[in-house]
Amino acid sequence: MATYRLTLEYDGTRYHGWQFQQNARSIAGELHKALADAGVEVLELGGSGRTDAGVHALAQVAHLRLRRKDDPAKLRQLINERLPQDIHVVGLAAAADRFHARHDAAARSYLYQLATRRSALHKRYVWWVRRALDLEAVRLGAAALLGRHDFRAFCERPHEQTSTLVVVDAVEVVPAESLVLLRFVASHFLWKMVRRLVGTLVRVGWGELPVETLRALLAGEAGPAELLPAEWTAPPSGLFLERVLYRGDPPLQPPAPVTPVALPPR
């Protein structure tokens, strides 16, 4: 048996997420198909985690176990030649036999792109927020998310989770011309958690949601209001799985736009 670590980038617009699905196109499904077309006998393929339908990735990580060893550069070329143009293996390297993309991950970072102006070219990769955001208010809301909290109110189907407790290590709010970048870093994330946090922070930035109410949501003290994050879920178009970090990996660099949106000409 041979084990490899794959790093992939993809535009998730046309796919129903990472996870293989019987009746819908998925990233893992397309990868399986490419490997089969190349005549590669796969024992196991597993990703670092699921991404929702429509969500993109800059560096999704997967482990691949094959019946026999192959040259990594040749294998990468064989796969890429058979993948659709919106999925690309950017790295493929031999890994330890027991390497597991999900279990071995130490942290994950997601990047969300908010657009402060309408753009004809970037709709697939941003969420255009039509009203001005108070970035200081957004930063105050982001600070409230740090640390260990119960994110039950921000999770789809929380009863299906083993636990809804998550330790958030960092939330950054960075303006970049006509974009506002939101980066979230944690050991793991719950289903739709990042998109609901983005939608909530936007409402904080609009002045519709006091930071005290956000803190109450995190503390489970908001009563019926804890249903509201589901209504505030940000669209998947602006969300990117940025990095999956493992022991010994280089640290994250400062957030940078994936698809820069310039200020409108004067």
Side-chain angles (χ1 to χ4, degrees), residues 17 117 119 157 170 187 190 195 262:
R117 73 165 177 92
S119 168
R157 300 181 190 170
S187 62
L190 307 171
R195 290 167 57 197

Side-chain angles (χ1 to χ4, degrees), residues 32 75 90 108 114 133-134 148 187 197 221:
H32 267 290
L75 183 58
V90 295
R108 295 159 176 84
L114 299 172
L133 290 168
D134 179 344
R148 185 174 185 266
S187 62
L197 291 176
E221 299 170 353

Side-chain angles (χ1 to χ4, degrees), residues 63-93:
H63 64 262
L64 176 64
R65 306 196 204 286
L66 305 181
R67 181 73 66 187
R68 61 180 179 82
K69 290 184 178 180
D70 208 336
D71 176 67
K74 175 187 170 186
L75 183 58
R76 176 173 172 262
Q77 181 179 350
L78 285 173
I79 297 169
N80 280 332
E81 286 174 348
R82 291 160 176 79
L83 283 173
Q85 290 188 349
D86 47 9
I87 306 173
H88 183 68
V89 178
V90 295
L92 192 156

